[in-house]
């Protein structure tokens, strides 16, 4: 439906592309998003727990630890995320991961950087993506967490440790399970290279935080390998009902 508009733009000497979310025609060289989709991807910086990202209260409220994280802190110090896993953000990530929309890599990396800089994230010694098992990597063709981590590593000018963390078991997708089943499914599924991570403060990167089971297991694995500390960055935080 957009082809006639693009053809007309070219005839008039205008450069045009499409919105990365909805496909609406947008000027080439400008934002990869139309105004409506850009407005539907708000950056959340307040009214949240800085440890787990649980959102409560007004978005203008300062970050404050939730009761759960005060009682049982996660195995990382800070969690950064851009916004809620819903609406335009959900469509953007699902299209990227499951419908071969690899051209969205740069945009998603930019959203990750904006989340990090808005919260004045601590510059890490190295950046570590949550890994995929080799079989899953062959099936999908790329690791979305690695591609997001590339942009973060460039932004903070820190090494990207592609092999700092590896997945040793090809676990079933976490989306099939509830909280307890997720924890059991992912337990012992990772290994860290102590030669790469020991003594370093790390930024662990993934795309979506749902229950945090995967990120907790990754952070614990890195700490057992001797890293100095872990912060976490994800693009989106799921709000559980």
């Amino acid at each position: 439906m957009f082809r006639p508009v693009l053809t007309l733009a070219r005839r008039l000497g205008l450069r045009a592309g499409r919105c990365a979310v909805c496909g609406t025609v947008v000027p080439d060289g400008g934002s990869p998003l139309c105004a409506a989709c850009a407005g539907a991807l708000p950056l959340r910086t307040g009214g949240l727990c800085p440890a787990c990202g649980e959102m409560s209260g007004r978005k203008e409220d300062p970050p404050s630890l939730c009761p759960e994280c005060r009682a049982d802190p996660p195995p990382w110090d800070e969690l950064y995320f851009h916004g809620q896993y819903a609406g335009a953000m959900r469509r953007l990530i699902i299209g990227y991961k499951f419908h071969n929309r690899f051209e969205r890599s740069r945009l998603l990396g930019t959203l990750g950087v904006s989340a990090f800089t808005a919260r004045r994230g601590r510059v890490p010694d190295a950046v570590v993506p949550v890994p995929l098992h080799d079989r899953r990597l062959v099936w999908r063709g790329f690791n979305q967490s690695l591609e997001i981590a590339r942009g973060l590593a460039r932004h903070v000018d820190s090494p990207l440790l592609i092999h700092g963390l590896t997945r040793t078991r090809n676990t079933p997708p976490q989306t099939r399970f509830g909280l307890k089943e997720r924890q059991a499914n992912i337990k012992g599924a990772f290994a860290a290279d102590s030669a790469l991570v020991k003594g370093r403060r790390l930024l662990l990167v993934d795309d979506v935080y749902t229950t945090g089971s995967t990120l907790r297991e990754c952070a614990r694995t890195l700490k057992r390998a001797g890293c100095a500390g872990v912060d976490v960055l994800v693009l989106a935080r799921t709000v559980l009902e």
Side-chain angles (χ1 to χ4, degrees), residues 11-12 26 42 59 61 65 67-68 88 95 120 122 126 135 164 167 172 174-175 191-193 213:
R11 287 177 180 174
L12 294 174
V26 294
K59 62 183 179 180
D61 293 339
L65 283 174
E68 289 78 7
R120 298 181 180 179
R122 172 171 34 203
R135 290 185 181 180
R167 191 179 291 249
Q174 291 283 76
T175 52
D193 187 337
S213 299

Side-chain angles (χ1 to χ4, degrees), residues 1-185:
M1 65 179 291
F2 300 112
R3 188 177 300 279
V5 179
L6 290 169
T7 301
L8 177 60
R10 294 190 184 102
R11 287 177 180 174
L12 294 174
L14 302 175
R15 300 181 64 190
R18 295 182 183 179
C19 172
V21 176
C22 69
T24 298
V25 175
V26 294
D28 198 12
S31 171
L33 299 170
C34 69
C37 288
L41 290 167
L43 175 63
R44 181 88 180 212
T45 59
L48 56 85
C49 173
C52 74
E54 180 181 349
M55 289 168 273
S56 62
R58 301 175 303 171
K59 62 183 179 180
E60 296 83 11
D61 293 339
S64 177
L65 283 174
C66 67
E68 289 78 7
C69 288
R70 286 197 293 269
D72 183 22
W76 57 76
D77 298 314
E78 294 276 344
L79 182 136
Y80 313 107
F81 70 102
H82 190 278
Q84 184 176 342
Y85 184 58
M89 178 66 84
R90 185 174 183 274
R91 293 194 299 273
L92 189 63
I93 293 174
I94 287 178
Y96 178 58
K97 290 172 64 174
F98 303 116
H99 300 290
N100 300 316
R101 297 300 302 274
F102 189 72
E103 73 278 4
R104 296 178 176 180
S105 294
R106 186 173 181 180
L107 171 60
L108 291 172
T110 299
L111 295 179
V113 168
S114 68
F116 184 80
T117 55
R119 291 270 306 282
R120 298 181 180 179
R122 172 171 34 203
V123 176
D125 297 319
V127 179
V128 179
V130 171
L132 289 179
H133 189 271
D134 289 345
R135 290 185 181 180
R136 186 75 58 81
L137 183 60
V138 169
W139 175 79
R140 182 171 295 164
F142 68 98
N143 178 0
Q144 74 281 355
S145 300
L146 170 58
E147 300 309 318
I148 297 165
R150 289 187 196 278
L152 265 297
R154 285 194 296 267
H155 175 75
V156 299
D157 194 24
S158 296
L160 175 62
L161 302 184
I162 297 176
H163 303 295
L165 192 64
T166 55
R167 191 179 291 249
T168 57
R169 289 194 293 110
N170 187 25
T171 57
Q174 291 283 76
T175 52
R176 299 179 184 178
F177 304 113
L179 174 58
K180 290 184 178 180
E181 292 81 6
R182 284 174 182 246
Q183 293 170 344
N185 180 52

Side-chain angles (χ1 to χ4, degrees), residues 124-128 159 161 163-165 191-203 218-230:
D125 297 319
V127 179
V128 179
L161 302 184
H163 303 295
L165 192 64
D193 187 337
S194 60
L196 294 176
V197 306
K198 188 174 182 179
R200 285 175 149 176
R201 170 159 286 281
L202 305 173
L203 180 63
C218 287
R220 291 188 184 110
T221 301
L222 291 168
K223 286 193 167 184
R224 285 195 295 267
C227 78
V230 181

